[in-house]
Amino acid sequence: MKILATCTNLFWLWTILGVVWAWFQPEAFTWFLTGVVPGTSVKLLTAGLGVIMLGMGITLSLADFKAVLKTPKQVFVGVAAQFIIMPFIGWSVATLFNLEPMLKLGVILVSCCPGGTASNVICYLARANVALSVLMTMCSTFLAVVLTPYLTKFYASAILDVDAGAMIWSMVTIVLLPVVGGVFLNHFFKGKLDKVKAVSPVISVLVIVLIVGGVIGLKKESIVEYAASLLPAVFILHFLGFALGYLVAKLLKLEERSCRTLCIEVGMQNSGLGSKLARDHFSTLAMTPCAISALYHCLIGSLLAAYWRLRPPIELNDC
């Protein structure tokens, strides 16, 4: 179990190694984006994201939903910041850097996605409020079924006509159904899923690395062509997301552990989901910012975790 936990905690390292590998040997990863599950017509990308969401679902219980009611202010602030701050920054940065339309759409799309499951790992390493992190990820994921499509439509309407209805259906099948299914499995089988719960985070990391590597390998030429504007744009998106998430929490006088949690949750997006939506509803070029996003938020989040881990929160009685 310790080996599995260590592998999960080093997800940032696997992401970097995956990107480097994909850059020099694209075919080692692109198969995941183009292939289907043997014997079916289901795309590997779709199945992989479904597994991630199912894995998230089996870590949740009905008690978690009740816990939301006990800390409504913090959860509300965090989720509101996720869907207000990040989409606006995404649109602003993409506009400021005058990105090519599909790249601009990709930046907006990933900024409208919910928090990623990797944020829970980063919160643990950063001595933040892990329970709050899980609750925020859970709430933002459920709300994203509707908010991600309509926020994308709102901010990207000048680029093209976004079919929010089709995106909602994708969110239902990729996110809602697997997560709800996982919650029910956890409710009815509980202790019998311990081994699955231990392996699930590692599988999630593997799928994320395959997605990021696949997009990097597939769009290598586009990354080189637009690097001068795309790389700084996506970096600024996440840098501001982390910074403003922390600032908002401080202004609302939340405890330090919660401030760290909001910082991480707002700054980290579900880039894998963004890649899937970009591929299905727009173009492979729109997937490129999503892959770069995953790399950046992993690096920034990991650096923050390393810094904060050496500095326990002042509220020691809450640790």
Side-chain angles (χ1 to χ4, degrees):
M1 295 298 180
K2 290 184 178 180
I3 294 177
L4 294 177
T6 300
C7 288
T8 301
N9 293 342
L10 290 174
F11 78 94
W12 58 272
L13 176 61
W14 311 136
T15 302
I16 294 174
L17 292 177
V19 167
V20 174
W21 187 358
W23 189 262
F24 294 102
Q25 195 175 3
E27 63 276 9
F29 292 86
T30 52
W31 60 270
F32 190 74
L33 300 182
T34 57
V36 298
V37 178
T40 72
S41 60
V42 179
K43 296 178 181 178
L44 287 172
L45 177 57
T46 302
L49 282 171
V51 169
I52 290 178
M53 294 303 167
L54 182 67
M56 177 182 169
I58 63 175
T59 65
L60 301 174
S61 66
L62 297 179
D64 293 322
F65 292 90
K66 294 178 182 179
V68 174
L69 301 177
K70 296 180 181 179
T71 57
K73 176 184 176 181
Q74 296 183 82
V75 175
F76 175 79
V77 169
V79 174
Q82 176 82 51
F83 289 115
I84 293 175
I85 292 177
M86 290 303 283
F88 179 73
I89 296 176
W91 172 80
S92 300
V93 169
T95 302
L96 178 65
F97 279 85
N98 194 29
L99 296 178
E100 193 275 337
M102 277 298 133
L103 293 178
K104 182 177 180 179
L105 179 58
V107 171
I108 291 173
L109 176 59
V110 76
S111 70
C112 293
C113 283
T117 54
S119 61
N120 306 146
V121 177
I122 292 296
C123 282
Y124 168 74
L125 296 175
R127 299 179 185 270
N129 189 330
V130 178
L132 177 62
S133 173
V134 172
L135 290 174
M136 284 181 58
T137 300
M138 176 189 72
C139 292
S140 67
T141 298
F142 277 112
L143 290 173
V145 173
V146 174
L147 291 182
T148 294
Y150 278 104
L151 284 171
T152 303
K153 182 179 180 66
F154 175 78
Y155 282 104
S157 58
I159 302 174
L160 80 167
D161 183 23
V162 177
D163 189 344
M167 287 184 68
I168 287 177
W169 178 245
S170 292
M171 295 290 286
V172 168
T173 55
I174 299 171
V175 177
L176 186 60
L177 293 180
V179 172
V180 172
V183 173
F184 276 101
L185 285 174
N186 189 34
H187 178 71
F188 289 108
F189 294 97
K190 294 184 178 179
K192 298 179 180 179
L193 296 174
D194 288 345
K195 292 183 178 180
V196 177
K197 291 179 182 179
V199 175
S200 178
V202 178
I203 295 176
S204 296
V205 169
L206 175 61
V207 171
I208 292 172
V209 172
L210 286 172
I211 293 174
V212 174
V215 178
I216 293 294
L218 192 66
K219 306 309 298 182
K220 178 179 177 179
E221 293 182 1
S222 298
I223 294 174
V224 173
E225 181 179 357
Y226 299 106
S229 57
L230 183 60
L231 294 182
V234 179
F235 175 80
I236 291 173
L237 166 67
H238 286 290
F239 178 82
L240 290 179
F242 281 102
L244 292 178
Y246 188 83
L247 178 61
V248 167
K250 276 295 186 184
L251 290 175
L252 294 175
K253 299 181 179 180
L254 299 184
E255 63 173 18
E256 173 62 18
R257 293 170 70 234
S258 296
C259 290
R260 296 181 181 186
T261 303
L262 262 72
C263 168
I264 293 166
E265 285 293 325
V266 174
M268 299 186 73
Q269 312 301 108
N270 191 331
S271 304
L273 177 62
S275 296
K276 167 66 177 172
L277 294 174
R279 182 181 180 87
D280 287 355
H281 299 281
F282 306 118
S283 71
T284 56
L285 182 59
M287 298 173 70
T288 309
C290 301
I292 296 173
S293 164
L295 179 62
Y296 275 147
H297 73 61
C298 283
L299 291 176
I300 297 174
S302 297
L303 289 173
L304 281 174
Y307 175 78
W308 276 329
R309 188 151 188 85
L310 299 175
R311 292 163 177 77
I314 295 176
E315 303 85 12
L316 295 177
N317 60 305
D318 292 330
C319 294

